[in-house]
């Protein structure tokens, strides 16, 4: 009774229904809607803002607080020279094509993907139809009735279908000209018009602006927060007392002027990111806390599997993946595991989460290796977190451009002591003998390796030696001009440019995928949608529902509200005139995990009922016990089964 | 002993010292510094980010949670038509002048202010010098020695000095052409070059960009978050079940392309704002919770006092200010009081906080009335929070432009029942008699007021009536053509455009002013700066300091860290090799209010000492008691005096 099985898959996932709930409850909505909207810009309403804030709070705890990261808040507006150096002005671009007649702009890779995917779907339909044991004319009739106006499915030859599958599996690996070739070879046209498209051209994805009144300072809106970390590297290193490794972290807005955004929150022109730049010694990418995550299991899809045209994941313990070299080093592995733990903690379905390695041509210009956490949703597998090894790329280019050293000077644990032979010159005598060739000679000898030096020493000890300068001339040297002596050298510091491991989170994509994973309809009524958001991220934790707005309920409602607020639990009172059932239905759609009902009996006996969203089971108990138990439920120290052990089930009648 | 008076004013405020601490500890720094920087753009480092986050957290509690505001997160990038409608494209501008020779760009009002202020300072010096009982030549010698190259002070005639004072007191009230006149009249030139400047021209302060690949959608970066609230008004009203008043709130980045920003964090091109839009019935601006703030006292500087050339504030209870009409209504008064409570809670000195009303010409184009919370710092009185009554301006213009009604339809508590005489026409007969003049006649009669209608009824009852159409023609009417009847009308809803009260917070300005208010140097050593940030906003609440990094201290340090984390207290361990005194000095500069020291005795007896930052007093007790007490101190449930009653003072020797 207390733990009935809730059937969340009684109805298939209905995207239209979810979208209607999200719009109606104002999780988010197209920005500037009353002005006709602009593609790729969305506003978050109260529940969406709260959900986003809660995801950020949890992110801050999981990463920044837990790992003592150094938080930053740097500017979005960035002078152009920074992105010239970082390579973004030249290379942060997508390939676009234009419809040769209408001029409509399309992203080249999306065009290829959409057209080939559609042909594969059509192929499958055609084959299914052909396999049905029906008479030809019946089939035709049925089809015509069902599809109206939709083109008849077209069956593809086996080899062509295989070619398409192969192209799609490695689509991110094609260059612009290659995408153009695909369009020609497979006759890919604009599906909206049927017209041919132009050759792919690059379109830079940064929004441009100009800083100050004179127009002398072109600027861009950052497409990532990362450069703000790199430019402050010296200050961060100082703040960390000069020690490595350390990580900086930043949560903030970034902008990408997408060519033709169409996938809701998944492809937007303005978005909130959370980025970590973990600075590490390139010679030691082990991680101090790797042992803590060694046994976390991930679904991995490495580069080689994809290049073979497959998307078959391997489930692997992260310890094994690093040991076998599937993942390059412990630090990268550590972060992949921590990303997995974070995503599943906030409610992402682990069965719909995989880590995919970038293929060579797919990687951003700054990356040496990259794994994406991809989450499956109705749009397919979606990159939600990138985890790139940017090596020393960014620090090196900025350092070179500005002349400001972005390096670490590390004290060596033991100074390195070396002995070697060096030449001691009698410069006066050398000058007299060789004049202006003096420098040529000393430079040639200073460049000698150990073997050459031993030979020179030996020859001099026998009276004289002949050396050759780089330009081929020979000089005869005698012991009065120079001697070779054994000397000791001591090196106590080492200077290096750190490498950077960068986990970079697209919060909007995570938030949207989470909403899909959490949405279902009640078995008995498909119209009653529920968002099973975990308490940790739910916008409101507890709904307090008095039977009506009458004064007699107010003191107890106020008492419970205050006690919850004191306990740090965000509750909301709904004393609107709708029935309790309707109010609970609204809050099921808002993802509120718990409800507290106050009725006449509550007022009389100082009790309350406690409702759990997914099961709709209600418990009853003294008001203070209910407050205490719901607080523990929200904090995650107990689960619902434990709550059911502590309080009896409410058997009374209450409209649901 | 436990509560010695700490003398925070032993040394005068030293801005250079504060700035050095802020840069060295990376509270914030000029952005893109290694690229030479860009005026008006700053990055926040770890302590600055944490301070800002804590201010935001407290803001969210104080406003959003406490008043059940609807939080939003809307986009920064905004299509141009929105700001064309809102008036920002035409009017969101500052007046700038150019140096006629160098072309340097200056903000006109700042130029006038700086030059006249400098002349007044010089005037004071000259008068002070003249008043000194020294011989002329001695004076001259002394001055020459002291000032080297600085121009000699110039005494102004009394009337001229008074004119300058008067101009400065109402500087914000001048239009661009008037500023140009001031420059000519008072011979105001560019102080950097001595050159004349051009006539003031308007410079729009919005950053411009372009959305999408075709260049068809010009856009601006928002200069305020407000438009995002207004455009979503209908959704917000729905979310609030159609009820008014309610408030939306948003914390986010905004951008202003300042002409020549020079005042550190006070005038920047990119900044974080927190804005509230409180939507209210224009016919009822009373506030439900006004009684709670009635007795809060504010320093007010109203419009009339300023126009009289004075800056003398009046301290007033907010209840009295509203009652006397100094503040227009309860809602505006309520928010001014709440703003005051928030600012003083986070550590702003109430003696350096005033509320100044805008003068008529100074107000933004959308505002009907406006009060600024101004905080005094070394730059003078600085606007940190604006509290504007935007009336129905924004909702009206957007509604008119888009055709989307942004209104409230309120159910009237009692339907309004009215009776009046209306004409019932015999249209067939009227048409026969008057042909196409039928419409002219019925429109004329429908527009009759009550008296006209009574007269018409009376005449008709006597056989016939003559009416005049708007174009002067006369028509004779008889009872067969129309009758006048008494009817009852019932109005059950009222439709209106809400007014908006907008408290708008510039978080960077508040943060900087707070840092100035909290900074002082220890009496015994001016080099030892302290930031007395209140625990509620301090970046780190507790510093844990083991005597050294040796292994024997680690278990107790770890235990205390974990217990603090579990209690939700953000602590930081400093086990660097520096002396305890130096580590505490560093954390005094970082504003960390409490320190816990672990030494050999602590490990032996499971104790710890607890240090308070301002007094440097240390208490000692069992480790668990120290953790419990510091938790209460951070949560604000006890103060330091109470902590001193619970734990004995530590009398041991410890380097400070």
């Amino acid at each position: 009774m207390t733990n009935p099985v809730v059937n969340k898959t009684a109805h298939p996932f209905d995207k239209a229904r979810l979208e209607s709930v999200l719009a109606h409850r104002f999780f988010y909505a197209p920005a500037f809607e009353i002005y006709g909207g602009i593609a790729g810009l969305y506003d978050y309403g109260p529940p969406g803002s709260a959900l986003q804030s809660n995801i950020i709070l949890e992110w801050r705890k999981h990463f920044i607080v837990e790992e003592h990261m150094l938080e930053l808040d740097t500017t979005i507006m960035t002078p152009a020279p920074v992105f010239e150096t970082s390579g973004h002005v030249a290379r942060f671009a997508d390939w676009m094509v234009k419809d040769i007649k209408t001029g409509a702009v399309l992203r080249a890779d999306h065009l290829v993907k959409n057209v080939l995917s559609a042909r594969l779907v059509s192929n499958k339909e055609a084959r299914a139809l052909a396999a049905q044991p029906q008479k030809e004319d019946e089939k035709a009739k049925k089809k015509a009735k069902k599809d109206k106006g939709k083109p008849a499915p077209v069956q593809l030859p086996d080899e062509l279908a295989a070619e398409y599958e192969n192209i799609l599996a490695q689509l991110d690996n094609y260059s612009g000209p290659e995408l153009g070739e695909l369009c020609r070879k497979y006759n890919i046209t604009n599906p909206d018009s049927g017209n041919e498209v132009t050759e792919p051209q690059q379109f830079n994805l940064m929004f441009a602006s100009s800083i100050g009144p004179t127009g002398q300072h072109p600027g861009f809106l950052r497409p990532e927060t990362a450069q703000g970390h790199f430019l402050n590297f010296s200050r961060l290193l100082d703040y960390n007392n000069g020690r490595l490794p350390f990580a900086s972290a930043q949560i903030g807005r970034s902008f990408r002027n997408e060519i033709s955004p169409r996938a809701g929150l998944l492809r937007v022109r303005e978005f909130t990111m959370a980025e970590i730049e973990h600075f590490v010694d390139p010679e030691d990418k082990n991680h101090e806390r790797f042992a803590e995550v060694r046994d976390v299991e991930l679904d991995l899809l490495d580069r080689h599997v994809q290049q073979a045209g497959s998307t078959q994941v391997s489930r692997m313990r992260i310890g094994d993946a690093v040991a076998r070299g599937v993942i390059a080093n412990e630090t990268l592995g550590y972060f992949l595991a921590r990303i997995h733990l974070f995503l599943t903690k906030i409610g992402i379905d682990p069965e719909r989460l995989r880590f995919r390695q970038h293929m060579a041509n797919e990687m951003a210009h700054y990356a040496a290796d990259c794994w994406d956490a991809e989450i499956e949703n109705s749009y397919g597998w979606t990159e939600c977190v990138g985890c790139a090894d940017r090596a020393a790329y960014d620090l090196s280019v900025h350092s070179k451009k500005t002349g400001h050293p972005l390096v670490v000077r590390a004290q060596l644990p033991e100074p390195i002591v070396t002995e070697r032979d060096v030449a001691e010159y009698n410069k006066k005598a050398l000058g007299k003998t060789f004049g202006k060739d003096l420098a040529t000679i000393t430079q040639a000898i200073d460049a000698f390796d150990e073997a050459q030096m031993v030979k020179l020493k030996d020859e001099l000890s026998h009276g004289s030696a002949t050396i050759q300068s780089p330009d081929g001339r020979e000089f005869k040297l005698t012991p009065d001009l120079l001697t070779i002596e054994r000397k000791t050298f001591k090196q106590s510091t080492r200077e290096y440019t750190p490498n950077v491991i960068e986990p970079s989170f697209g919060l909007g994509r995570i938030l949207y995928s989470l909403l899909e994973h959490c949405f279902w309809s009640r078995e008995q009524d498909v119209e009653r949608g529920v968002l099973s958001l975990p308490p940790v991220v739910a916008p409101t934790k507890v709904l307090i529902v008095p039977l009506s707005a009458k004064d007699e309920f107010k003191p107890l409602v106020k008492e419970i509200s205050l006690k919850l607020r004191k306990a740090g639990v965000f509750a909301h009172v709904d004393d609107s005139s709708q029935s309790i059932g309707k109010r609970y239905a609204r809050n099921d759609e808002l993802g509120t995990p718990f409800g507290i009902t106050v009725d006449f009996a509550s007022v009389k006996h100082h009790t309350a009922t406690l409702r759990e969203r997914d099961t709709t089971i209600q418990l009853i108990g003294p008001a203070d016990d209910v407050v205490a138990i719901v607080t523990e439920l929200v904090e995650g120290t107990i689960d619902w089964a434990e709550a059911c052990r502590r309080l009896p089930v409410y058997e009374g009648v209450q409209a649901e």
Side-chain angles (χ1 to χ4, degrees), chain A residues 458-530:
Chain A
D458 182 55
E459 290 176 2
L460 284 172
S461 73
H462 291 87
S464 79
T466 301
I467 65 152
Q468 214 173 27
S469 67
D471 58 2
R473 288 179 295 152
E474 292 199 337
F475 300 94
K476 191 180 173 189
L477 303 169
T478 48
D480 60 315
L481 298 176
L482 82 169
T483 56
I484 305 299
E485 281 165 33
R486 194 81 186 157
K487 292 216 163 173
T488 301
F489 293 86
K490 193 168 147 184
Q491 187 197 349
S492 57
T493 62
R494 182 181 141 240
E495 188 178 291
Y496 63 91
T497 303
N499 275 14
V500 177
I501 308 288
E502 178 196 75
S504 169
F505 295 68
L507 296 178
R509 291 181 173 191
I510 294 171
L511 180 144
Y512 176 76
S513 304
L514 176 62
L515 289 169
E516 276 205 6
H517 289 198
C518 290
F519 185 69
W520 53 287
S521 285
R522 298 233 181 257
E523 191 170 3
Q524 65 277 26
D525 182 359
V526 68
E527 299 284 339
R528 291 201 48 189
V530 183

Side-chain angles (χ1 to χ4, degrees), chain A residues 547-620:
Chain A
L547 204 58
S548 77
K550 281 190 187 140
D551 281 345
E552 56 195 306
F553 300 117
K554 281 185 179 156
L556 185 53
V557 165
K558 196 168 178 186
E559 184 193 327
I560 292 173
S561 295
L562 277 175
K563 283 181 174 163
L564 284 173
R565 194 195 298 173
K566 212 166 173 188
V569 174
F570 188 63
H572 179 76
V573 177
D574 184 352
D575 60 1
S576 66
S577 55
Q578 290 187 303
S579 73
I580 285 192
K582 278 208 175 143
R583 282 182 269 166
Y584 273 135
R586 175 175 194 262
N587 274 270
D588 289 346
E589 290 187 349
L590 286 165
T592 309
F594 304 106
I596 292 178
T597 315
V598 169
D599 59 13
F600 295 107
S602 310
V603 173
K604 196 168 164 194
H605 307 298
H606 204 260
T607 57
T609 61
L610 173 60
R611 173 190 187 264
E612 197 272 338
R613 172 195 58 205
D614 295 0
T615 58
T616 74
I617 287 179
Q618 298 195 45
L619 310 178
I620 186 161

Side-chain angles (χ1 to χ4, degrees), chain A residues 91-141:
Chain A
R91 281 170 287 175
F92 193 72
D94 275 343
W95 294 96
M96 66 175 188
V97 293
K98 283 189 184 172
D99 183 305
I100 57 166
K101 287 188 184 152
T102 67
V105 178
L106 304 163
R107 216 177 108 169
D109 56 345
H110 290 179
L111 172 66
V112 171
K113 183 179 172 186
N114 293 340
V115 170
L116 296 191
S117 304
R119 288 183 192 169
L120 285 171
V121 168
S122 177
N123 174 50
K124 262 191 197 155
E125 285 178 13
R127 284 169 188 250
L129 215 58
Q132 276 169 23
Q134 290 178 311
K135 283 182 195 160
E136 277 311 308
D137 57 338
E138 269 177 36
K139 267 190 243 175
K141 234 188 279 174

Side-chain angles (χ1 to χ4, degrees), chain A residues 286-483:
Chain A
N286 289 335
H287 196 287
E288 206 183 2
R289 299 176 67 175
F290 188 70
E292 296 174 31
V293 300
R294 196 182 293 280
D295 292 329
V296 175
E297 284 192 337
L298 304 187
D299 283 346
L300 300 179
L301 177 55
D302 75 25
R303 180 179 291 164
H304 309 293
V305 172
Q306 295 166 72
Q307 269 155 359
S310 164
T311 55
Q312 182 61 50
V313 299
S314 312
R315 182 157 298 183
M316 235 182 263
R317 291 188 324 127
I318 200 76
D320 297 337
V322 171
R324 290 182 209 160
V326 177
I327 292 166
N329 57 64
E330 280 190 7
T331 298
L332 197 52
Y334 178 77
F335 278 111
L336 295 185
R338 293 282 300 159
I339 291 164
H340 177 94
L341 293 172
F342 171 73
L343 292 174
T344 52
K345 190 195 284 175
I346 63 167
I348 293 294
D349 178 356
E351 297 301 320
R352 303 178 74 185
L353 172 61
R354 73 180 185 191
F355 289 81
R356 188 179 72 80
Q357 189 177 28
H358 279 209
M359 288 171 286
N361 285 341
E362 176 188 1
M363 268 187 294
H365 62 270
Y366 46 72
D369 191 7
C370 186
W371 287 81
D372 285 342
E374 293 187 332
I375 303 177
E376 196 194 21
N377 55 44
S378 61
Y379 293 93
W381 286 96
T382 305
E383 174 200 346
C384 290
V385 187
C387 194
D389 183 344
R390 295 177 79 130
Y393 175 81
D394 303 272
L395 293 179
S396 302
V397 293
H398 287 303
S399 184
K400 192 172 163 210
K401 177 71 183 179
T402 62
H404 184 100
L406 300 172
V407 294
V408 175
R409 279 184 201 88
Q411 201 73 27
L412 288 169
E414 295 284 325
I416 299 173
V417 179
T418 46
E419 281 197 346
R420 61 176 194 271
D421 291 326
V422 290
E424 292 280 314
Y425 304 105
N426 179 344
K427 292 213 173 170
K428 206 170 163 189
L430 272 168
K432 244 187 211 163
T433 314
F434 297 110
K436 63 179 171 51
D437 284 330
L438 164 62
T440 312
I441 293 165
T442 57
Q443 279 165 21
I445 294 172
D446 288 347
F448 273 12
D449 65 21
E450 218 176 309
Q452 288 173 304
M453 206 58 106
V454 167
K455 182 165 168 270
L456 177 60
K457 189 178 186 179
D458 182 55
E459 290 176 2
L460 284 172
S461 73
H462 291 87
S464 79
T466 301
I467 65 152
Q468 214 173 27
S469 67
D471 58 2
R473 288 179 295 152
E474 292 199 337
F475 300 94
K476 191 180 173 189
L477 303 169
T478 48
D480 60 315
L481 298 176
L482 82 169
T483 56

